């Protein structure tokens, strides 16, 4: 089936059809372009999504990714990044293998179509010219025949008329012959042109037009085949990345299967284990003993319903710093380092049994155990931590034993890595210096001496630092019975002299595992900064009262920084509980100290608190 034989008279329709085919191809190219843009946009959004949920470097969030579930999530984010890369590959391949190729092919197709239809129009114009020549020769032949017929009739008329001269008759005869000859010539010319036109017309409809239409048909069929191949390429571009996308998904599944809940639980233990032993059994305390006393023995207690005798002035003032001048600062610095004891059971009518204001009475052994547990919290020891809000000691002594061991081990590992890095640098400089010594033209060996000296000094500093932390680590792990004076000198924390004032400030610093809870270097700083600190607080006024409080239970302030109160007594509050379980109160404008928050009921003045 050929367009040249079947559609010999459909030139204009074929022209429209081929133009429609090119439009379809351009529409498909536009479709593929928009698909590539979608793939690029999707890949960009996936990358942004993966980047958005990536943990920030050097942050607490990055430390959380040690758990297997978080590692699996991080692996999923990385695989999604690779997944986005495959969509970028799809876009790139579709652009290079389909869009660019088809756009070039469309230009070639338009040029070929233009050439074929130009040949077709040229053939049409030629056959039309031949037809016009045929029509012209035909009309001329017809005209000559008519004129020859009229000339013959005129001759015959003249020849029959006896009144006409012989000369006129001869002239008419010659004219008739001339016209007859012209008619014969026109006939011959018309016959020749007719034959030639028939030949041209046959060639036009049987040779030229079929060949041109055959080329157009082949061009159109190539276009159809090309768009089909492009559609296959379109599918293959997607199919090529399916295995890689499948691998990404397989990796996500593998990461999900690698989640180990037991391992995560163990990591939680390692992260938060304090190393303390749980408290033992609570000893029974017999309350029937006061009932067996004589009236003379417990006459005072009977009037107070069995309450213990008050002992005011229980604060110990024998260990005050020599440069402290204000009661306010003294109370700050002598605030109890131990956690407040739980309130005792009250027999007063206002107390509700087992209510929030009448908890069970603590036993002394339990109080000691609570004190041991509370020592893991950062404690206020001196004016430096009070003034600056608390500083983490260099030896991490404010951490529980297990956490302190981990911190010290991490610090030792970091220092060892730094030492190795500096050592490698020193070796490289030494080798370079040897090369310069052997080949002076390459450089001056003396130019490396300063750098070599700096690196060596850095190594020595890092080694001393590592020895210091290794000594602390050995102490925590129990490899050393106690911190030796030699280790203290190596760490640079002791200068060989002990200042009694700083010793008083740093008292009660040992945690339950026997380690110190404040670095010695801070003590040296305290000795230097003491005069400035004295001047800074010399002119300060006493703290104003921010409310009042009522004592719910009797409390004997025997530790330094505490104050004794009796049940039902009303006092002024000058500093509320900061989270350590103690409230600072004042009595008679000259006596102040700390009492357990659970022993008093506080009524804060909103205006005073807000101001």
């Amino acid at each position: 089936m050929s367009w040249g034989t079947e559609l010999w008279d459909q030139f204009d329709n074929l022209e429209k059809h081929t133009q429609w085919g090119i439009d379809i191809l351009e529409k498909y190219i536009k479709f593929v372009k928009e698909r590539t843009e979608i793939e690029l946009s999707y890949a960009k959004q996936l990358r942004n999504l993966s980047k958005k949920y990536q943990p920030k470097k050097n942050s607490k969030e990055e430390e959380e990714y040690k758990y297997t579930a978080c590692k699996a999530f991080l692996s999923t984010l990385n695989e999604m990044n690779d997944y986005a890369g495959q969509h970028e590959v799809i876009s790139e391949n579709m652009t290079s293998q389909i869009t660019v190729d088809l756009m070039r092919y469309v230009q070639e197709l338009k040029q070929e179509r233009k050439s074929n239809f130009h040949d077709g129009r040229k053939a049409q114009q030629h056959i039309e010219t031949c037809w016009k020549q045929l029509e012209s020769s035909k009309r001329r032949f017809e005209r000559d025949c008519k004129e020859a017929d009229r000339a013959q009739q005129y001759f015959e008329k003249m020849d029959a008329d006896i009144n006409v001269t012989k000369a006129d008759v001869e002239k008419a005869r010659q004219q008739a012959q001339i016209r007859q000859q012209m008619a014969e010539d026109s006939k011959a010319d018309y016959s020749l042109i007719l034959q030639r036109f028939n030949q041209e017309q046959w060639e036009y409809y049987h040779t030229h037009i079929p060949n041109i239409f055959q080329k157009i048909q082949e061009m159109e069929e190539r276009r159809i085949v090309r768009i089909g191949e492009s559609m296959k390429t379109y599918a293959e571009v997607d199919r090529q990345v399916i295995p890689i996308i499948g691998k990404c998904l397989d990796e996500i599944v593998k990461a999900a299967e690698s989640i180990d809940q037991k391992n995560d639980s163990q990591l939680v233990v390692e992260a938060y284990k304090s190393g303390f032993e749980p408290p033992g059994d609570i000893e029974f305390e017999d309350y029937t003993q006061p009932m067996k006393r004589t009236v003379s023995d417990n006459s005072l207690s009977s009037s107070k319903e069995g309450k213990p005798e008050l002992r005011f002035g229980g604060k110990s003032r024998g260990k005050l710093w020599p440069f402290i001048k204000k009661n306010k600062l003294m109370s700050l610095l002598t605030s109890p380092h131990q956690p407040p004891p739980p309130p005792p059971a009250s027999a007063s009518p206002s107390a509700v049994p087992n209510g929030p204001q009448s908890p069970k009475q603590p036993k002394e052994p339990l109080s000691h155990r609570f004190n041991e547990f509370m020592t893991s919290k950062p404690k206020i020891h001196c004016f430096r931590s009070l003034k600056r809000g608390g500083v983490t000691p260099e030896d991490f002594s404010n951490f529980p034993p297990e956490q302190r061991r981990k911190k010290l081990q991490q610090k030792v590992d970091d220092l060892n890595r730094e030492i190795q890095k500096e050592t490698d640098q020193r070796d490289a400089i030494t080798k370079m210096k040897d090369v310069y010594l052997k080949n002076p033209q390459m450089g001056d060996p003396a130019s490396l001496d300063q750098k070599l000296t700096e690196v060596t000094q850095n190594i020595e500093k890092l080694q001393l630092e590592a020895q210091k932390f290794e000594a602390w680590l050995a102490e925590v792990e129990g490899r050393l019975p106690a911190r030796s004076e030699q280790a203290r000198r190596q760490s640079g924390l002791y200068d060989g002299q002990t200042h009694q004032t700083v010793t008083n400030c740093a008292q009660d610093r040992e945690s339950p595992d026997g380690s110190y809870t404040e670095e010695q270097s801070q003590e040296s700083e305290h000795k230097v900064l003491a005069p400035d600190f004295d001047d800074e607080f010399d002119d300060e006024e006493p703290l104003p009262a921010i409310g009042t409080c009522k004592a719910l239970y009797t409390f004997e302030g025997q530790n330094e920084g505490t104050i004794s109160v009796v049940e039902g007594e009303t006092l002024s509050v000058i500093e509320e509980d900061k989270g350590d379980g103690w409230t600072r109160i004042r009595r008679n404008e000259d006596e102040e100290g700390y009492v357990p928050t659970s022993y008093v009921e506080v009524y804060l003045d909103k205006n005073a608190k807000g101001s």
Side-chain angles (χ1 to χ4, degrees):
M1 184 179 295
S2 174
W3 288 5
T5 57
E6 303 292 338
L7 303 174
W8 60 271
D9 58 344
Q10 300 297 321
F11 185 89
D12 294 337
N13 288 332
L14 286 181
E15 188 176 14
K16 293 178 181 179
H17 178 77
T18 52
Q19 181 60 42
W20 171 83
I22 292 176
D23 293 341
I24 288 294
L25 190 57
E26 289 179 338
K27 182 183 292 186
Y28 181 73
I29 293 173
K30 185 178 180 181
F31 160 75
V32 177
K33 276 186 176 180
E34 292 185 2
R35 166 70 190 276
T36 57
E37 292 173 358
I38 291 173
E39 292 292 340
L40 283 178
S41 177
Y42 182 51
K44 182 179 179 181
Q45 292 178 8
L46 285 179
R47 288 191 183 277
N48 291 339
L49 180 66
S50 177
K51 183 179 179 181
K52 177 181 178 181
Y53 286 93
Q54 288 283 349
K56 297 179 181 179
K57 293 184 178 180
N58 301 325
S59 64
K60 184 179 179 182
E61 184 181 0
E62 189 177 21
E63 297 178 358
E64 296 174 355
Y65 277 80
K66 61 185 177 181
Y67 299 102
T68 57
C70 295
K71 288 181 180 178
F73 178 54
L74 183 60
S75 178
T76 300
L77 295 178
N78 295 332
E79 294 300 331
M80 289 306 298
N81 201 36
D82 296 341
Y83 187 94
Q86 297 310 307
H87 284 278
E88 291 176 347
V89 171
I90 291 176
S91 176
E92 293 173 0
N93 291 342
M94 285 187 176
T95 301
S96 61
Q97 300 179 20
I98 299 178
T99 305
V100 176
D101 193 34
L102 283 184
M103 289 178 67
R104 183 172 58 251
Y105 176 70
V106 164
Q107 298 301 324
E108 296 174 356
L109 189 64
K110 288 181 178 179
Q111 189 65 30
E112 183 180 1
R113 175 182 175 275
K114 181 179 179 181
S115 176
N116 289 332
F117 281 100
H118 176 73
D119 294 342
R121 289 191 183 91
K122 187 177 180 180
Q124 280 183 339
Q125 292 175 359
H126 178 71
I127 198 66
E128 287 175 359
T129 302
C130 292
W131 171 257
K132 289 179 181 179
Q133 290 177 356
L134 178 62
E135 287 292 325
S136 177
S137 64
K138 181 181 177 181
R139 285 192 301 271
R140 186 170 60 250
F141 172 61
E142 182 181 5
R143 184 179 68 250
D144 290 344
C145 287
K146 289 180 179 180
E147 289 179 354
D149 186 48
R150 285 194 300 270
Q152 184 65 27
Q153 290 178 1
Y154 179 74
F155 167 70
E156 290 177 353
K157 181 180 179 182
M158 293 293 289
D159 187 40
D161 191 357
I162 58 175
N163 297 322
V164 178
T165 62
K166 187 177 180 180
D168 291 336
V169 172
E170 186 63 22
K171 183 178 179 180
R173 186 182 63 79
Q174 291 178 357
Q175 189 67 27
Q177 289 179 351
I178 291 174
R179 293 295 179 183
Q180 189 66 30
Q181 186 63 38
M182 290 178 63
E184 291 294 333
D185 292 341
S186 296
K187 180 180 178 180
D189 188 42
Y190 171 67
S191 177
L192 180 63
I193 292 176
L194 180 61
Q195 291 178 1
R196 188 166 63 241
F197 174 77
N198 289 333
Q199 181 66 28
E200 291 289 342
Q201 182 176 253
W202 189 91
E203 290 180 356
Y204 174 79
Y205 287 111
H206 293 85
T207 303
H208 296 308
I209 288 298
N211 289 338
I212 294 173
F213 280 14
Q214 184 65 31
K215 291 179 181 179
I216 295 174
Q217 181 180 357
E218 292 174 357
M219 177 193 72
E220 186 68 9
E221 289 176 353
R222 287 198 306 272
R223 178 192 67 80
I224 296 172
V225 171
R226 194 61 173 269
I227 196 171
E229 292 175 350
S230 298
M231 290 180 180
K232 287 183 180 179
T233 305
Y234 179 88
E236 286 299 323
V237 167
D238 260 341
R239 195 188 304 276
Q240 288 173 1
V241 301
I242 287 177
I244 303 178
I245 291 177
K247 289 182 180 180
C248 293
L249 299 178
D250 292 341
E251 289 296 327
I252 294 176
V253 174
K254 184 178 179 181
E257 293 175 350
S258 66
I259 295 177
D260 187 356
Q261 66 276 12
K262 298 297 183 182
N263 182 71
D264 286 359
S265 299
Q266 182 61 32
L267 290 176
V268 174
V269 172
E270 295 176 359
Y272 300 110
K273 181 180 179 181
S274 66
F276 294 137
E277 293 294 333
D281 295 338
I282 300 176
E283 298 179 1
F284 176 78
E285 192 167 341
D286 192 358
Y287 286 95
T288 59
Q289 295 299 328
M291 299 174 57
K292 300 178 181 180
R293 298 176 185 173
T294 61
V295 177
S296 60
D297 292 335
N298 58 4
S299 59
L300 180 59
S301 61
S302 61
S303 63
K304 298 290 184 176
E305 296 183 0
K307 298 182 182 65
E309 182 181 359
L310 292 179
R311 291 185 295 175
F312 294 102
K315 295 183 294 181
S316 176
R317 303 178 181 269
K319 296 183 178 181
L320 298 180
W321 291 355
F323 53 81
I324 297 179
K325 300 181 179 181
K326 297 287 184 178
N327 287 336
K328 167 191 151 184
L329 183 60
M330 177 190 67
S331 181
L332 275 174
L333 300 182
T334 56
S335 60
H337 302 301
Q338 297 181 353
S346 175
S348 61
S350 61
V352 181
N354 299 327
Q357 295 186 359
S358 60
K360 297 180 181 180
Q361 184 177 1
K363 278 70 177 177
E364 189 64 21
L366 182 59
S367 300
H368 290 306
R369 295 188 183 95
F370 282 158
N371 292 341
E372 292 178 358
F373 278 99
M374 294 299 291
T375 52
S376 62
K377 296 182 179 179
K379 294 176 289 185
I380 300 175
H381 301 297
C382 58
F383 68 89
R384 187 179 182 87
S385 58
L386 282 171
K387 185 176 180 181
R388 300 189 179 182
V391 180
T392 302
E394 186 182 9
D395 60 352
F396 306 107
S397 56
N398 60 327
F399 286 90
E402 185 64 22
Q403 300 302 318
R404 183 188 181 199
R405 184 192 64 78
K406 290 176 60 179
K407 291 286 185 180
L408 291 173
Q409 184 65 54
Q410 182 180 359
K411 187 69 175 180
V412 170
D413 295 340
D414 293 341
L415 289 172
N416 288 334
R417 282 192 293 267
E418 291 292 330
I419 292 173
Q420 184 61 39
K421 182 179 177 181
E422 294 291 334
T423 303
D424 295 341
Q425 186 176 2
R426 182 187 61 184
D427 295 342
I429 295 175
T430 304
K431 291 180 181 179
M432 186 179 295
K433 185 176 181 180
D434 294 340
V435 173
Y436 287 174
L437 289 172
K438 294 178 182 179
N439 302 291
Q441 66 275 10
M442 297 183 65
D444 183 13
S447 62
L448 301 176
D449 292 340
Q450 182 178 359
K451 183 64 176 177
L452 186 61
T453 303
E454 292 178 359
V455 173
T456 304
Q457 291 176 354
N458 291 339
I459 293 175
E460 293 176 355
K461 292 179 181 178
L462 291 172
Q463 287 176 346
L464 290 175
E465 192 78 7
Q467 292 175 3
K468 175 176 64 176
F469 282 95
E470 286 174 356
W472 285 332
L473 180 62
E475 178 185 343
V476 172
E477 293 178 346
R479 294 180 301 197
L480 295 176
R483 182 177 303 182
S484 63
E485 189 67 25
Q486 181 181 1
R488 293 170 182 171
R489 291 196 187 97
Q490 288 178 352
S491 62
L493 301 179
Y494 281 81
D495 58 357
Q497 297 179 357
T498 304
H499 198 286
Q500 184 63 32
T501 304
V502 180
T503 304
N504 294 336
C505 173
Q507 65 178 349
D508 202 15
R509 292 185 306 161
E510 292 190 358
S511 60
D513 64 337
S515 61
Y516 288 89
T517 58
E518 183 170 317
E519 55 184 331
Q520 301 290 343
S521 60
Q522 291 183 351
E523 298 181 7
S524 301
E525 295 178 2
H526 301 339
K527 292 185 288 186
V528 177
L529 297 176
D532 296 337
F533 182 73
D534 183 19
D535 297 336
E536 202 173 317
F537 286 88
D538 194 20
D539 298 327
E540 290 188 5
E541 297 295 331
L543 290 176
I546 61 174
T548 59
C549 67
K550 179 181 179 181
L552 301 176
Y553 316 101
T554 297
F555 173 72
E556 297 180 3
Q558 298 180 354
N559 295 329
E560 184 173 348
T562 61
I563 185 173
S564 300
V565 295
V566 63
E567 181 180 356
E569 185 179 9
T570 301
L571 306 102
S572 299
V573 178
I574 58 176
E575 184 178 347
E576 59 180 326
D577 190 354
K578 299 299 184 181
D580 55 358
W582 296 90
T583 300
R584 187 176 172 188
I585 64 174
R586 178 187 295 139
R587 177 192 292 115
N588 299 330
E589 299 298 328
D590 59 350
E591 188 176 8
E592 62 184 44
Y594 286 88
V595 295
T597 304
S598 58
Y599 275 62
V600 295
E601 185 175 1
V602 179
Y603 307 94
L604 294 178
D605 186 355
K606 294 183 178 180
N607 295 330
K609 184 178 181 181
S611 62

